[in-house]
């Protein structure tokens, strides 16, 4: 249902990912994760135990389902993924019956790569003071922040400021739930930029185009 998907990549172009992180069971988060995992053999690190059960029921091999809950962690070849809280829903839809199903609780992820570079993916969470705690603990270098039609510029900017205030390493901001051509009334990168400037946060926002990739490095 995403109008931007027509400009995206096809399943056969994805290649061989190792890990997939899905923050909740909503269809706009799950996307093609199941198909990608089946085709590639990638592991999916879950935000909750219940969501792992859904993935297995949807045909993802058990060996590829890494069931975790907030507070849990997953280590793979020098990469550490910490599961952290998220204030958001997580209801899913069974693809076979089309009935709503319980997807457990939502979560975010703090990913530390082999070289120490750390990424905080907040998922679809509202801004919470917990974000400052995780920033203080893990000092992320980059943050994927929520930006969608139901979020005010101040909400998105506040989440960023909470993290920036506790992580001197934060240098990269990437929007999540961003439309390439936002419909009328939807939040834009310019809106968030203006809110950040009013708060004294000068970290640049990296706005991605379809098929664009970003290299994250120290």
């Amino acid at each position: 249902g995403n109008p931007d998907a027509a400009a995206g990549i096809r399943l056969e172009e994805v290649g061989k990912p190792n890990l997939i992180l899905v923050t909740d069971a909503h269809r706009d988060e799950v996307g093609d994760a199941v198909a990608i995992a089946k085709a590639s053999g990638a592991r999916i690190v879950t935000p909750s135990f219940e969501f792992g059960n859904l993935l297995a029921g949807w045909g993802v091999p058990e060996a590829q389902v890494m069931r975790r809950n907030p507070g849990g962690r997953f280590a793979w070849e020098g990469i550490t993924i910490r599961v952290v809280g998220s204030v958001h829903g997580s209801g899913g839809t069974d693809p076979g019956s089309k009935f709503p199903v319980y997807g457990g609780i939502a979560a975010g992820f703090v990913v530390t790569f082999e070289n120490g570079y750390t990424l905080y993916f907040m998922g679809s969470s509202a801004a919470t003071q917990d974000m400052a705690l995780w920033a203080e603990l893990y000092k992320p270098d980059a943050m994927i922040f929520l930006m969608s039609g139901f979020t005010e510029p101040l909400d998105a900017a506040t989440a960023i400021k909470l993290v920036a205030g506790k992580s001197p390493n934060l240098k990269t901001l990437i929007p999540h739930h961003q439309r390439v051509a936002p419909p009328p009334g939807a939040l834009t990168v310019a809106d968030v930029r203006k809110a950040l400037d009013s708060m004294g946060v000068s970290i640049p926002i990296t706005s991605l185009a379809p098929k664009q990739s970003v290299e994250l490095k120290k």
Side-chain angles (χ1 to χ4, degrees):
N2 183 349
D4 293 331
I9 62 176
R10 299 186 303 274
L11 179 61
E12 55 269 25
E13 294 180 275
V14 172
K16 295 290 290 184
N18 302 116
L19 303 173
I20 301 171
L21 310 183
V22 183
T23 61
D24 63 66
H26 288 173
R27 66 174 188 170
D28 55 359
E29 299 292 345
V30 177
D32 294 313
V34 172
I36 293 171
K38 288 180 180 180
S40 67
R43 295 170 172 86
I44 301 182
V45 182
T46 72
S48 67
F49 183 86
E50 293 84 354
F51 184 60
N53 293 340
L54 284 184
L55 291 171
W58 292 340
V60 179
E62 280 283 352
Q64 293 172 230
V65 179
M66 305 294 106
R67 291 177 174 82
R68 295 297 185 273
N69 290 296
R73 62 198 297 271
F74 176 71
W76 181 84
E77 295 193 5
I79 298 172
T80 300
I81 300 170
R82 299 173 181 87
V83 186
V84 296
S86 171
V87 181
H88 195 58
S90 187
T93 302
D94 187 289
S97 65
K98 303 302 180 183
F99 286 119
V101 290
Y102 177 58
I105 57 177
F109 298 100
V110 178
V111 183
T112 300
F113 295 94
E114 302 94 321
N115 65 350
Y117 191 98
T118 298
L119 168 70
Y120 170 44
F121 179 20
M122 67 178 279
S124 296
S125 180
T128 72
Q129 192 63 41
D130 289 341
M131 295 174 178
L133 173 62
W134 301 322
E136 184 174 11
L137 287 173
Y138 307 122
K139 302 291 189 298
D141 300 275
M143 176 180 181
I144 301 176
F145 70 92
L146 176 65
M147 193 185 77
S148 66
F150 60 82
T151 302
E152 298 291 331
L154 188 62
D155 296 334
T158 297
I160 293 169
K161 185 177 181 181
L162 285 167
V163 175
K166 293 294 183 178
S167 177
N169 298 338
L170 189 64
K171 299 293 189 297
T172 301
L173 301 174
I174 300 173
H176 170 53
H177 272 323
Q178 176 204 8
R179 287 286 304 281
V180 175
L187 196 64
T188 67
V189 168
D191 294 331
V192 179
R193 178 75 271 154
K194 184 176 179 180
L196 285 175
D197 290 343
S198 72
M199 294 177 172
V201 179
S202 59
I203 302 169
I205 298 175
T206 301
S207 183
L208 300 179
K211 297 191 177 184
Q212 179 184 350
S213 60
V214 173
E215 183 178 358
L216 303 177
K217 61 182 180 182
K218 283 285 193 183

